[in-house]
Amino acid sequence: MNLAALDLNLLVALDALLREAGVSRAAMRIGLSQPATSHALRRLRELLGDPLLVRVGPRMELTPRAQAMRAPLAQTLEQVRGLFVPDVFDAGASDRHFRLMMPDLAVELLMPPLMKKLDGAAPGIRINVVPWRGPAILTAEFARSLDMVISIGNAFKGFHRQLLYTDSDALAVRHDHPQRTRLRSIDGFRNARHVAVILRGQSDDLIDDWLRSKDVDRQIALIVPSYIEALHVAARTDLVAFVPSRLIAALAKPLSLAAVAPPLDPGLDEQFMFTPTRAQFDSGSIWLRKIMLETARELGPLKRR
């Protein structure tokens, strides 16, 4: 049979005819006139090469082939109808796993409050955070495995970008750092020993790219692969970490850190939420984006120093 020539309405009529075993009742079931339903029956008989309904005394009965088609046809039509019903995501009952890629600073700021929300509203949801890697080494296969990326910039192909929150950079030092006040000057900044952060997939600390554009250099004594490691080092040495200020504020108390305004202001950092274009209308992805945006808003306004 040439399926391209098959009218879906014929299947709806066939379902009614098989359920009702009569033209009049089938016509009433699907809201067609009796002549139109009779015409549909004739076409179905031609297509299938089977009478489908035969008269036995005063009644119409289904042929053996028609009997065999009843259940599969009803199931098929139900599946077709399901294609046009919006998918509803029930977070409270779902056990879906979401895979997110983000740098450690975003994990520190966003995941504790987000998971607190999920404790009561979506206890079966699991979030799998994978280490951040730059877009240059993000393979197509790996990208397909992700439900969300949190990052700066706009280099993730096949993803839709939405602003999540803004931040600014500051100098993090241990609370009793001997040169704390001098770091506000260019000379104090240059003379200090710094810990740089080079994330996977990058060749340099992003802040150094910006400093070079201002003809300012710094003495890098240590390179680490994450912002949190940089703060832990700064908390226990005289090294200085030039990192996002929201992260310093989040860890200032437990690590006994202080934030110092840099001699040059690098301006605002914008952290974006990237979601696959293919998932824009997926109800689970929509739910995840909504709760992530709510969590980011709850970080509050940025306090500039």
Side-chain angles (χ1 to χ4, degrees):
M1 178 180 292
N2 181 10
L3 291 179
L6 181 62
D7 184 350
L8 184 60
N9 289 320
L10 279 179
L11 294 183
V12 176
L14 177 59
D15 179 59
L17 288 163
L18 298 185
R19 287 174 184 268
E20 300 296 343
V23 174
S24 298
R25 292 190 302 273
M28 292 179 61
R29 185 182 185 93
I30 57 178
L32 285 179
S33 67
Q34 187 166 331
T37 307
S38 296
H39 177 70
L41 177 58
R42 285 195 299 272
R43 289 190 61 194
L44 287 163
R45 284 169 168 168
E46 292 171 1
L47 284 169
L48 297 171
D50 188 274
L52 300 174
L53 288 173
V54 293
R55 184 169 295 280
V56 179
R59 298 185 312 160
M60 297 291 286
E61 291 188 3
L62 302 180
T63 65
R65 185 176 183 187
Q67 287 279 6
M69 293 175 64
R70 283 186 66 181
L73 177 61
Q75 184 178 8
T76 299
L77 287 177
E78 190 61 32
Q79 290 175 339
V80 171
R81 292 185 187 100
L83 294 176
F84 299 94
V85 176
D87 183 26
V88 177
F89 181 74
D90 184 356
S94 176
D95 61 354
R96 183 166 170 177
H97 294 182
F98 291 98
R99 185 174 167 91
L100 282 61
M101 184 179 78
M102 62 179 77
D104 63 328
L105 68 94
V107 175
E108 179 68 32
L109 293 176
L110 297 171
M111 296 317 295
L114 186 144
M115 295 309 297
K116 194 171 182 179
K117 293 176 187 292
L118 267 55
D119 283 345
I125 296 292
R126 189 171 90 179
I127 306 293
N128 178 17
V129 176
V130 299
W132 189 93
R133 60 178 70 181
I137 59 173
L138 188 66
T139 65
E141 182 180 359
F142 182 74
R144 282 194 296 270
S145 74
L146 297 173
D147 294 290
M148 181 179 293
V149 175
I150 294 177
S151 179
I152 60 174
N154 190 26
F156 294 92
K157 294 180 179 179
F159 286 77
H160 173 78
R161 188 179 75 158
Q162 191 170 5
L163 180 64
L164 198 56
Y165 66 87
T166 58
D167 206 342
S168 63
D169 292 309
L171 305 177
V173 296
R174 62 185 177 91
H175 198 267
D176 56 350
H177 193 287
Q179 303 297 321
R180 177 175 167 181
T181 56
R182 295 190 61 196
L183 289 169
R184 296 177 182 272
S185 69
I186 289 289
D187 287 341
F189 178 83
R190 280 178 163 152
N191 292 331
R193 299 172 72 241
H194 292 252
V195 50
V197 179
I198 300 182
L199 301 177
R200 184 177 180 183
Q202 294 179 346
S203 59
D204 210 347
D205 189 323
L206 295 178
I207 202 67
D208 287 309
D209 290 338
W210 178 81
L211 287 170
R212 280 191 289 270
S213 72
K214 304 298 180 183
D215 294 323
V216 175
D217 55 2
R218 60 175 180 162
Q219 297 182 47
I220 296 176
L222 174 67
I223 296 172
V224 295
S226 78
Y227 291 101
I228 292 179
E229 289 176 3
L231 289 183
H232 275 276
V233 170
R236 299 167 61 187
T237 67
D238 285 341
L239 296 183
V240 178
F242 202 167
V243 297
S245 59
R246 286 188 186 273
L247 187 60
I248 302 173
L251 296 176
K253 187 174 181 180
L255 295 183
S256 296
L257 289 168
V260 178
L264 294 172
D265 183 3
L268 290 178
D269 297 328
E270 292 181 322
Q271 202 74 231
F272 294 96
M273 173 176 65
F274 296 83
T275 49
T277 303
R278 57 176 166 74
Q280 286 306 296
F281 298 102
D282 172 63
S283 59
S285 178
I286 292 170
W287 171 83
L288 180 62
R289 298 198 299 270
K290 180 175 180 290
I291 198 168
M292 186 65 78
L293 286 169
E294 288 175 356
T295 304
R297 281 197 296 268
E298 289 167 4
L299 293 176
L302 178 63
K303 298 177 181 178
R304 302 296 299 274
R305 295 183 178 275

